[in-house]
Short mmCIF file of all heavy atoms in Angstrom, two decimals:
data_model
loop_
_atom_site.label_atom_id
_atom_site.label_comp_id
_atom_site.label_asym_id
_atom_site.label_seq_id
_atom_site.Cartn_x
_atom_site.Cartn_y
_atom_site.Cartn_z
N TYR U 1 -21.94 42.65 -53.50
CA TYR U 1 -23.11 41.87 -53.87
C TYR U 1 -23.85 42.53 -55.04
O TYR U 1 -24.32 41.86 -55.95
CB TYR U 1 -24.06 41.72 -52.68
CG TYR U 1 -23.55 40.82 -51.59
CD1 TYR U 1 -23.00 41.34 -50.42
CD2 TYR U 1 -23.60 39.43 -51.72
CE1 TYR U 1 -22.53 40.51 -49.42
CE2 TYR U 1 -23.12 38.59 -50.73
CZ TYR U 1 -22.58 39.13 -49.57
OH TYR U 1 -22.12 38.30 -48.58
N GLN U 2 -23.94 43.87 -54.99
CA GLN U 2 -24.63 44.58 -56.06
C GLN U 2 -23.93 44.36 -57.39
O GLN U 2 -24.59 44.18 -58.43
CB GLN U 2 -24.68 46.07 -55.74
CG GLN U 2 -25.49 46.90 -56.73
CD GLN U 2 -26.96 46.54 -56.68
OE1 GLN U 2 -27.56 46.54 -55.61
NE2 GLN U 2 -27.54 46.20 -57.82
N GLU U 3 -22.62 44.37 -57.39
CA GLU U 3 -21.86 44.17 -58.62
C GLU U 3 -22.07 42.76 -59.16
O GLU U 3 -22.21 42.56 -60.38
CB GLU U 3 -20.38 44.45 -58.36
CG GLU U 3 -20.09 45.91 -58.09
CD GLU U 3 -18.72 46.17 -57.50
OE1 GLU U 3 -18.11 45.21 -56.95
OE2 GLU U 3 -18.24 47.31 -57.57
N VAL U 4 -22.11 41.78 -58.28
CA VAL U 4 -22.35 40.40 -58.72
C VAL U 4 -23.74 40.28 -59.35
O VAL U 4 -23.91 39.63 -60.39
CB VAL U 4 -22.22 39.43 -57.53
CG1 VAL U 4 -22.64 38.03 -57.94
CG2 VAL U 4 -20.79 39.42 -57.00
N LEU U 5 -24.74 40.92 -58.73
CA LEU U 5 -26.10 40.88 -59.27
C LEU U 5 -26.15 41.54 -60.65
O LEU U 5 -26.80 41.03 -61.58
CB LEU U 5 -27.06 41.58 -58.32
CG LEU U 5 -27.33 40.84 -57.00
CD1 LEU U 5 -28.05 41.75 -56.01
CD2 LEU U 5 -28.15 39.59 -57.24
N ASP U 6 -25.50 42.69 -60.78
CA ASP U 6 -25.50 43.39 -62.07
C ASP U 6 -24.81 42.57 -63.15
O ASP U 6 -25.27 42.50 -64.29
CB ASP U 6 -24.81 44.76 -61.94
CG ASP U 6 -25.62 45.74 -61.09
OD1 ASP U 6 -26.83 45.50 -60.89
OD2 ASP U 6 -25.04 46.73 -60.62
N ILE U 7 -23.71 41.93 -62.79
CA ILE U 7 -23.00 41.08 -63.75
C ILE U 7 -23.88 39.93 -64.20
O ILE U 7 -24.03 39.65 -65.40
CB ILE U 7 -21.69 40.54 -63.12
CG1 ILE U 7 -20.66 41.67 -62.96
CG2 ILE U 7 -21.10 39.42 -63.98
CD1 ILE U 7 -19.48 41.29 -62.08
N PHE U 8 -24.50 39.25 -63.24
CA PHE U 8 -25.24 38.04 -63.60
C PHE U 8 -26.58 38.35 -64.25
O PHE U 8 -27.17 37.47 -64.90
CB PHE U 8 -25.43 37.13 -62.38
CG PHE U 8 -24.80 35.80 -62.60
CD1 PHE U 8 -23.42 35.67 -62.53
CD2 PHE U 8 -25.55 34.69 -62.93
CE1 PHE U 8 -22.81 34.46 -62.76
CE2 PHE U 8 -24.95 33.46 -63.18
CZ PHE U 8 -23.58 33.35 -63.09
N SER U 9 -27.07 39.56 -64.11
CA SER U 9 -28.31 39.92 -64.80
C SER U 9 -28.12 39.92 -66.31
O SER U 9 -29.09 39.91 -67.07
CB SER U 9 -28.81 41.29 -64.34
OG SER U 9 -27.93 42.32 -64.78
N LYS U 10 -26.87 39.90 -66.75
CA LYS U 10 -26.54 39.89 -68.19
C LYS U 10 -26.18 38.49 -68.69
O LYS U 10 -25.80 38.32 -69.85
CB LYS U 10 -25.39 40.86 -68.48
CG LYS U 10 -25.68 42.31 -68.08
CD LYS U 10 -24.47 43.20 -68.32
CE LYS U 10 -24.76 44.65 -67.99
NZ LYS U 10 -25.07 44.85 -66.56
N ASN U 11 -26.29 37.48 -67.84
CA ASN U 11 -25.96 36.11 -68.25
C ASN U 11 -26.88 35.66 -69.39
O ASN U 11 -28.10 35.81 -69.32
CB ASN U 11 -26.11 35.17 -67.05
CG ASN U 11 -25.85 33.72 -67.42
OD1 ASN U 11 -25.04 33.42 -68.29
ND2 ASN U 11 -26.57 32.81 -66.78
N LYS U 12 -26.30 35.07 -70.42
CA LYS U 12 -27.09 34.62 -71.57
C LYS U 12 -27.03 33.11 -71.76
O LYS U 12 -27.54 32.60 -72.75
CB LYS U 12 -26.61 35.33 -72.84
CG LYS U 12 -25.14 35.10 -73.17
CD LYS U 12 -24.72 35.88 -74.41
CE LYS U 12 -23.24 35.67 -74.72
NZ LYS U 12 -22.83 36.41 -75.94
N TRP U 13 -26.41 32.40 -70.81
CA TRP U 13 -26.25 30.96 -70.95
C TRP U 13 -27.15 30.23 -69.97
O TRP U 13 -27.11 30.47 -68.77
CB TRP U 13 -24.80 30.54 -70.72
CG TRP U 13 -23.80 31.32 -71.52
CD1 TRP U 13 -22.98 32.30 -71.09
CD2 TRP U 13 -23.55 31.17 -72.92
NE1 TRP U 13 -22.21 32.78 -72.12
CE2 TRP U 13 -22.55 32.10 -73.26
CE3 TRP U 13 -24.06 30.33 -73.92
CZ2 TRP U 13 -22.05 32.22 -74.56
CZ3 TRP U 13 -23.56 30.46 -75.21
CH2 TRP U 13 -22.57 31.38 -75.51
N GLN U 14 -27.94 29.29 -70.47
CA GLN U 14 -28.86 28.56 -69.61
C GLN U 14 -28.15 27.58 -68.68
O GLN U 14 -28.71 27.19 -67.65
CB GLN U 14 -29.89 27.79 -70.45
CG GLN U 14 -30.87 28.68 -71.20
CD GLN U 14 -31.92 27.89 -71.94
OE1 GLN U 14 -31.81 26.67 -72.08
NE2 GLN U 14 -32.94 28.58 -72.42
N ASN U 15 -26.95 27.17 -69.02
CA ASN U 15 -26.23 26.19 -68.21
C ASN U 15 -25.18 26.84 -67.31
O ASN U 15 -24.24 26.21 -66.85
CB ASN U 15 -25.56 25.14 -69.09
CG ASN U 15 -24.54 25.73 -70.05
OD1 ASN U 15 -24.66 26.89 -70.46
ND2 ASN U 15 -23.52 24.96 -70.41
N VAL U 16 -25.37 28.15 -67.03
CA VAL U 16 -24.47 28.88 -66.14
C VAL U 16 -25.27 29.44 -64.97
O VAL U 16 -26.29 30.10 -65.16
CB VAL U 16 -23.76 30.04 -66.89
CG1 VAL U 16 -22.94 30.88 -65.92
CG2 VAL U 16 -22.87 29.49 -68.00
N HIS U 17 -24.81 29.14 -63.76
CA HIS U 17 -25.48 29.62 -62.55
C HIS U 17 -24.48 30.31 -61.64
O HIS U 17 -23.27 30.10 -61.74
CB HIS U 17 -26.16 28.47 -61.81
CG HIS U 17 -27.34 27.90 -62.52
ND1 HIS U 17 -27.22 27.03 -63.56
CD2 HIS U 17 -28.67 28.11 -62.35
CE1 HIS U 17 -28.43 26.70 -64.02
NE2 HIS U 17 -29.32 27.35 -63.29
N LEU U 18 -25.03 31.10 -60.74
CA LEU U 18 -24.22 31.92 -59.85
C LEU U 18 -23.91 31.19 -58.55
O LEU U 18 -24.75 30.50 -57.98
CB LEU U 18 -24.98 33.22 -59.53
CG LEU U 18 -24.37 34.14 -58.47
CD1 LEU U 18 -23.02 34.67 -58.93
CD2 LEU U 18 -25.32 35.28 -58.15
N GLY U 19 -22.68 31.39 -58.07
CA GLY U 19 -22.29 30.95 -56.74
C GLY U 19 -21.51 32.07 -56.07
O GLY U 19 -21.04 33.00 -56.72
N THR U 20 -21.36 31.98 -54.75
CA THR U 20 -20.57 32.97 -54.03
C THR U 20 -19.63 32.26 -53.06
O THR U 20 -19.90 31.16 -52.59
CB THR U 20 -21.45 33.94 -53.23
OG1 THR U 20 -22.22 33.20 -52.27
CG2 THR U 20 -22.38 34.73 -54.14
N PHE U 21 -18.50 32.90 -52.77
CA PHE U 21 -17.52 32.40 -51.79
C PHE U 21 -17.18 33.57 -50.87
O PHE U 21 -16.76 34.63 -51.33
CB PHE U 21 -16.28 31.89 -52.50
CG PHE U 21 -15.35 31.06 -51.63
CD1 PHE U 21 -14.58 30.06 -52.18
CD2 PHE U 21 -15.23 31.28 -50.26
CE1 PHE U 21 -13.70 29.29 -51.41
CE2 PHE U 21 -14.38 30.52 -49.48
CZ PHE U 21 -13.61 29.52 -50.05
N ASP U 22 -17.34 33.32 -49.58
CA ASP U 22 -16.99 34.32 -48.57
C ASP U 22 -15.77 33.80 -47.82
O ASP U 22 -15.84 32.77 -47.14
CB ASP U 22 -18.16 34.54 -47.61
CG ASP U 22 -17.95 35.71 -46.67
OD1 ASP U 22 -16.78 36.06 -46.42
OD2 ASP U 22 -18.95 36.27 -46.19
N THR U 23 -14.64 34.49 -47.94
CA THR U 23 -13.42 34.02 -47.31
C THR U 23 -13.47 34.14 -45.79
O THR U 23 -12.61 33.58 -45.09
CB THR U 23 -12.21 34.81 -47.83
OG1 THR U 23 -12.45 36.22 -47.69
CG2 THR U 23 -11.94 34.49 -49.29
N GLN U 24 -14.45 34.86 -45.26
CA GLN U 24 -14.60 34.92 -43.80
C GLN U 24 -15.23 33.65 -43.25
O GLN U 24 -15.01 33.29 -42.09
CB GLN U 24 -15.46 36.13 -43.42
CG GLN U 24 -14.79 37.48 -43.66
CD GLN U 24 -15.66 38.63 -43.22
OE1 GLN U 24 -16.80 38.47 -42.82
NE2 GLN U 24 -15.09 39.83 -43.27
N THR U 25 -16.02 32.98 -44.08
CA THR U 25 -16.72 31.77 -43.63
C THR U 25 -16.22 30.51 -44.30
O THR U 25 -16.48 29.40 -43.83
CB THR U 25 -18.23 31.89 -43.91
OG1 THR U 25 -18.43 32.01 -45.33
CG2 THR U 25 -18.82 33.11 -43.22
N ASP U 26 -15.49 30.66 -45.43
CA ASP U 26 -15.01 29.52 -46.23
C ASP U 26 -16.17 28.64 -46.68
O ASP U 26 -16.09 27.40 -46.68
CB ASP U 26 -14.00 28.68 -45.45
CG ASP U 26 -12.70 29.42 -45.22
OD1 ASP U 26 -12.49 30.47 -45.86
OD2 ASP U 26 -11.89 28.97 -44.38
N VAL U 27 -17.26 29.27 -47.09
CA VAL U 27 -18.45 28.55 -47.55
C VAL U 27 -18.79 28.99 -48.96
O VAL U 27 -18.85 30.19 -49.26
CB VAL U 27 -19.66 28.81 -46.61
CG1 VAL U 27 -20.92 28.15 -47.17
CG2 VAL U 27 -19.36 28.29 -45.21
N VAL U 28 -19.01 28.01 -49.84
CA VAL U 28 -19.52 28.27 -51.19
C VAL U 28 -21.03 28.05 -51.17
O VAL U 28 -21.51 27.01 -50.73
CB VAL U 28 -18.87 27.33 -52.22
CG1 VAL U 28 -19.52 27.51 -53.59
CG2 VAL U 28 -17.37 27.58 -52.31
N ILE U 29 -21.76 29.05 -51.66
CA ILE U 29 -23.22 28.97 -51.73
C ILE U 29 -23.64 28.95 -53.20
O ILE U 29 -23.24 29.83 -53.97
CB ILE U 29 -23.89 30.18 -51.04
CG1 ILE U 29 -23.48 30.27 -49.58
CG2 ILE U 29 -25.41 30.10 -51.18
CD1 ILE U 29 -24.16 29.34 -48.66
N THR U 30 -24.42 27.97 -53.59
CA THR U 30 -24.99 27.93 -54.94
C THR U 30 -26.49 27.69 -54.83
O THR U 30 -27.03 27.58 -53.73
CB THR U 30 -24.36 26.82 -55.80
OG1 THR U 30 -24.92 25.56 -55.45
CG2 THR U 30 -22.85 26.78 -55.63
N HIS U 31 -27.15 27.60 -55.98
CA HIS U 31 -28.60 27.44 -55.97
C HIS U 31 -29.04 26.06 -55.52
O HIS U 31 -30.20 25.86 -55.17
CB HIS U 31 -29.17 27.71 -57.37
CG HIS U 31 -28.77 26.70 -58.41
ND1 HIS U 31 -27.47 26.56 -58.81
CD2 HIS U 31 -29.49 25.79 -59.10
CE1 HIS U 31 -27.40 25.60 -59.72
NE2 HIS U 31 -28.60 25.12 -59.91
N ASN U 32 -28.13 25.09 -55.52
CA ASN U 32 -28.57 23.73 -55.17
C ASN U 32 -27.62 23.00 -54.21
O ASN U 32 -27.82 21.84 -53.93
CB ASN U 32 -28.76 22.88 -56.42
CG ASN U 32 -27.48 22.72 -57.23
OD1 ASN U 32 -26.43 23.23 -56.84
ND2 ASN U 32 -27.57 22.04 -58.36
N GLU U 33 -26.60 23.72 -53.69
CA GLU U 33 -25.71 23.05 -52.77
C GLU U 33 -24.90 24.06 -51.96
O GLU U 33 -24.77 25.23 -52.33
CB GLU U 33 -24.76 22.10 -53.49
CG GLU U 33 -23.79 22.82 -54.42
CD GLU U 33 -22.93 21.86 -55.23
OE1 GLU U 33 -22.96 20.65 -54.93
OE2 GLU U 33 -22.23 22.32 -56.14
#
């Protein structure tokens, strides 16, 4: 999780958002769905 946060703190595109996938739960989590 820390690595994902560090990577996305450098995002420079307004039309790019973060999501996560956990293979233990098979759930994709995003900011709006």
